[in-house]
Amino acid sequence: MQARAVAILVSFVLAVLTAGCGSGGSAVASPASGGGAPPTIRDAWVRAAQAGGTSAAYLSLTNGGAAEEQLVGVRAADLTDTASLHETSSDASGMTGMSPVDSITIPAGGTVALAPGGYHIMLMDLKKELKAGDRVTLALTFKQAGEISISAEVRAN
Amino acid sequence: MHERPAPAPPAPGPAPLDRRLVVGGGVALAVLVGLAAWLLAMAFLAPDERFVVTDAPTLELTDQAGQPFSLASLRGHPVLVFFGYTHCPDVCPATIGTLNQVLADAGDGPRAVFISIDPDRDGPREMASYLKYLPTAYTGLSGSPEEIAANARRWGVKYAKVDEGSPDGYAMAHTADVFLVDAQGRLRGRYPFGTEPGPITAAVKGLLAETPVTAGPIATGPPVSTGAPATGAPSIPSAPTVVPTAAPSTVPGTSSPAIGDLRVLLVSSSIWAGPQTPVIVTLSEPDGTPLDGAVPVTARVVGANETAAGPDVPATTILPTGASRASYVATVRIPVPGWWRLDLMTPDGRRGGVSIEALDPGTSAAIGAPAPASDTPTLADVDGQLLAITTQEAPDLRFYQESTADARAAGRPYVLVIDSSRFRVSPACGRALTMTRYLIDRWGADVAFIHLEPFVYQVITSAPVLSGDIANPPLNRWTAAWGLGDAVWPATDMPWIFVVDGQGIVRAKYRSIVGTADIDVMLGVIEGQGVR
């Protein structure tokens, strides 16, 4: 119980730090519902791209709870009908590609980063241009916590 | 590492490097050895010998304005060259982010060239649209599938379509290294995906210091003379992890070393020493017109001193459904592993050649011989407990319907994919499965696609747990039956793909990185589809 309290405290401190970061930071999502401690979502951003193009969203997920949590789905209805979880990986020859993943597991007390070159949320066939500075809404579905909506900043890179 | 005789000089691009690096999981070792060698060279060798500087391969494509582009037009500027595609959501933008930082920090002078390896979707218009978001130092190149293949091959760049579950929704897997070319058009560095801007910026600044660049419009004239003799690359502060093998110098616009008067493009990704191995090529006239398959072609393997390694063999011509040009498949004998030249000849005396590297087959199931009489487990065998037979996160059930024995009994050809998504003994693991899914969509009705996990594992509380050490993983009996896990190709050398025909004969096999194009052609040969 004490460990969990510490984890929550750490999340809170990080959240405050992030909130103080200015332009680079983004709001920390609050849980909508669900049992246990819902994951904390930080530093969500989406790469600028043209209408009809492809973009990706990145964020970090911290599971302050005592049980494993999984990110199992994502929606970005304003942007695309096809938002999906992907993982980029490289081989020894430098050949790099990505594969869809069903879920991303966040271990109890752990943090998983969706970052360039690794896990990401792929946004295909964009309905509109994403300009740096815009804000967009992403709805993340977790196995335990259910759906959590967050606001993400559009950045050039 | 494998000692291989070299009957013919090394061939295009850095392709051999990936094969050697993956062998025995020796990546880290190779990097360490390379770094050590570089440090030694820095300490003891004369400047000229510190770094093997070779001319960069040529780039002959179309720019974003629809005009012909040659890399030579950027002489006088350091150039950062990378390959990608405009629908790329993650890797290419990340690389561009890095290069933008490099360009911002290095000042005026450097240029960047982005080549699309997605010719089906990217043309000059798409490149122009994409470049609107990028600094003016960028040029965006596109071309026909043949042109892209030829240019990518010269740079040792590989790419393949990856199924994303919808007809147009494919992604591309591709070599994502950044190449650094100096103002004299020489290849001076190669940086793997994920390299931070710092080392690249430092290298670019080093090049700028050795060759002052005139700021302003992109030079389009003849090569700028720097007055300074070539002195190796003493000022490059960071050692690229991989220094490419010298690509043979090529006549601009040709797709392969100019041997004879036919242009040859190699399609095969694994070629094997032994009594028989299929080698797939495409052929075109010097002006780029593809040979349509009407002309009969014979093939000959040539070693050192122009000695033929065996008799001339006729090549089969095939035009797979949906393919834009004919491929030629020659089944040849290659006596020992190493570099050879494959010559292709027409009855009217025209000839073309391409360097090929034959791999040591070790004890892996031989091409031309009956496939091992081993079964593979199916979904029915494990009562639907998928985790018992696959560690894929989102298993494609089409891989688990039929066993190798079922396919053999039914006289159906099959593609056996030995790969693990979970136990990644090599960074290529999981990739063969992803690639093959694309082929199931094309061939699934006529050909069985079978996935086999290579290792012994247990399922403990819904998680697969390897029954042993990942550094020396235990092969299961089905995988061992295919002759893998020997001294040449240890258990850590994954993935593998075997292609077996309806008579149960092994017709092709691939290790590590696999392109979809050559398997596609082999299935066409086996199925008799598109054979001329």
Side-chain angles (χ1 to χ4, degrees):
Chain A
M1 206 54 212
Q2 198 174 357
R4 188 169 145 184
V6 170
I8 291 169
L9 183 63
V10 169
S11 305
F12 176 73
V13 171
L14 284 173
V16 170
L17 287 175
T18 308
C21 278
S23 64
S26 58
V28 176
S30 314
S33 64
T40 309
I41 302 156
R42 280 194 300 269
D43 301 332
W45 66 281
V46 178
R47 187 177 281 111
Q50 53 194 316
T54 311
S55 181
Y58 305 99
L59 43 83
S60 93
L61 300 167
T62 299
N63 178 5
E68 181 180 287
E69 176 64 287
Q70 284 186 324
L71 176 62
V72 294
V74 60
R75 289 187 304 118
D78 301 345
L79 309 180
T80 175
D81 296 328
T82 50
S84 52
L85 304 175
H86 276 74
E87 182 182 15
T88 293
S89 54
S90 296
D91 65 46
S93 74
M95 185 130 152
T96 302
M98 54 181 189
S99 337
V101 293
D102 260 7
S103 62
I104 296 171
T105 299
I106 318 144
T111 295
V112 173
L114 278 65
Y119 286 123
H120 57 276
I121 294 164
M122 184 159 91
L123 308 167
M124 291 172 73
D125 300 324
L126 292 171
K127 294 176 182 172
K128 61 181 183 186
E129 183 181 10
L130 296 178
K131 288 196 202 115
D134 290 354
R135 295 200 77 87
V136 298
T137 302
L138 302 173
L140 308 179
T141 307
F142 295 91
K143 198 169 181 181
Q144 313 295 338
E147 187 166 287
I148 300 178
S149 284
I150 56 162
S151 170
E153 184 185 5
V154 178
R155 288 195 228 155
N157 234 310
Chain B
M1 293 291 136
H2 298 261
E3 290 294 328
R4 295 198 177 95
L17 286 170
D18 70 71
R19 298 205 177 109
R20 283 185 207 137
L21 280 174
V22 180
V23 171
V27 181
L29 183 64
V31 170
L32 280 177
V33 168
L35 190 60
W38 181 77
L39 287 171
L40 270 175
M42 285 302 284
F44 296 115
L45 295 180
D48 287 357
E49 295 164 289
R50 283 178 190 172
F51 190 97
V52 180
V53 177
T54 60
D55 285 341
T58 53
L59 268 178
E60 304 287 337
L61 286 163
T62 304
D63 72 11
Q64 67 274 14
Q67 298 300 310
F69 172 92
S70 168
L71 184 60
S73 68
L74 294 184
R75 289 282 166 85
H77 300 265
V79 186
L80 296 153
V81 175
F82 68 104
F83 296 74
Y85 62 112
T86 67
H87 283 74
C88 179
D90 184 48
V91 171
C92 315
T95 300
I96 287 168
T98 300
L99 296 192
N100 287 351
Q101 190 67 50
V102 172
L103 292 169
D105 293 346
D108 203 2
R111 300 283 184 253
V113 176
F114 173 30
I115 302 113
S116 171
I117 42 70
D118 186 7
D120 290 347
R121 288 187 296 198
D122 289 337
R125 194 162 32 140
E126 287 73 21
M127 299 313 285
S129 176
Y130 196 78
L131 255 51
K132 278 188 212 154
Y133 291 81
L134 302 179
T136 53
Y138 280 86
T139 301
L141 303 182
S142 57
S144 69
E146 293 78 19
E147 290 167 340
I148 295 297
N151 280 274
R153 178 166 289 278
R154 288 202 292 271
W155 288 76
V157 165
K158 298 180 178 186
Y159 56 95
K161 279 185 184 178
V162 179
D163 180 25
E164 280 286 335
S166 68
D168 301 322
Y170 63 88
M172 301 296 296
H174 59 98
T175 304
D177 296 3
V178 174
F179 300 87
L180 178 59
V181 178
D182 71 13
Q184 289 89 50
R186 299 172 304 180
L187 194 56
R188 297 291 287 271
R190 177 172 179 163
Y191 301 89
F193 173 67
T195 303
E196 296 287 321
I200 308 178
T201 303
V204 170
K205 283 183 172 171
L207 294 186
L208 288 169
E210 73 184 44
T211 310
V213 172
T214 39
I218 292 172
T220 52
V224 174
S225 170
T226 63
T231 54
S235 57
I236 290 191
S238 79
T241 52
V242 179
V243 180
T245 312
S249 50
T250 55
V251 178
T254 61
S255 60
S256 58
I259 302 169
D261 44 14
L262 287 176
R263 288 160 54 182
V264 185
L265 184 61
L266 187 64
V267 176
S268 294
S269 55
S270 291
I271 296 171
W272 301 93
Q276 55 174 285
T277 187
V279 183
I280 305 170
V281 299
T282 60
L283 295 171
S284 53
E285 308 281 1
D287 67 359
T289 312
L291 258 60
D292 61 1
V295 184
V297 170
T298 53
R300 177 189 301 167
V301 176
V302 180
N305 305 320
E306 297 294 316
T307 314
D312 294 357
V313 296
T316 304
T317 311
I318 182 158
L319 185 66
T321 312
S324 55
R325 64 187 296 177
S327 293
Y328 293 83
V329 186
T331 301
V332 297
R333 171 183 172 273
I334 303 182
V336 293
W339 284 98
W340 299 82
R341 197 179 76 223
L342 183 76
D343 282 2
L344 289 307
M345 296 149 292
T346 62
D348 59 3
R350 286 181 302 161
R351 188 172 148 267
V354 65
S355 293
I356 54 176
E357 187 195 18
L359 301 171
D360 186 342
T363 56
S364 62
I367 296 173
S374 158
D375 209 352
T376 51
T378 65
L379 208 47
D381 295 331
V382 293
D383 292 330
Q385 299 295 308
L386 263 173
L387 208 48
I389 53 170
T390 179
T391 65
Q392 282 192 86
E393 286 233 355
D396 187 326
L397 298 182
R398 296 175 296 180
F399 279 117
Y400 311 101
Q401 306 302 322
E402 214 167 335
S403 73
T404 50
D406 294 338
R408 195 158 43 239
R412 254 158 75 82
Y414 63 89
V415 175
L416 177 67
V417 184
I418 306 180
D419 192 8
S420 179
S421 313
R422 177 82 171 209
F423 305 118
R424 297 190 175 196
V425 290
S426 93
C429 283
R431 191 64 53 76
L433 274 171
T434 311
M435 301 258 175
T436 318
R437 281 166 66 167
Y438 178 72
L439 289 167
I440 305 185
D441 294 337
R442 282 175 66 79
W443 294 100
D446 304 313
V447 177
F449 287 82
I450 300 165
H451 168 220
L452 175 63
E453 286 283 337
F455 307 125
V456 180
Y457 65 91
Q458 288 177 286
V459 177
I460 298 174
T461 59
S462 305
V465 176
L466 190 69
S467 303
D469 180 0
I470 191 83
N472 184 22
L475 289 178
N476 59 38
R477 60 188 166 90
W478 305 292
T479 305
W482 288 81
L484 306 182
D486 65 352
V488 179
W489 305 113
T492 47
D493 189 82
M494 290 290 160
W496 283 77
I497 291 179
F498 291 88
V499 179
V500 178
D501 69 17
Q503 285 73 49
I505 304 295
V506 178
R507 298 291 295 272
K509 59 182 173 181
Y510 307 88
R511 60 161 291 276
S512 188
I513 301 305
V514 179
T516 48
D518 49 356
I519 300 180
D520 204 48
V521 169
M522 284 312 296
L523 292 176
V525 170
I526 289 170
E527 285 288 289
Q529 283 189 20
V531 176
R532 297 269 173 109

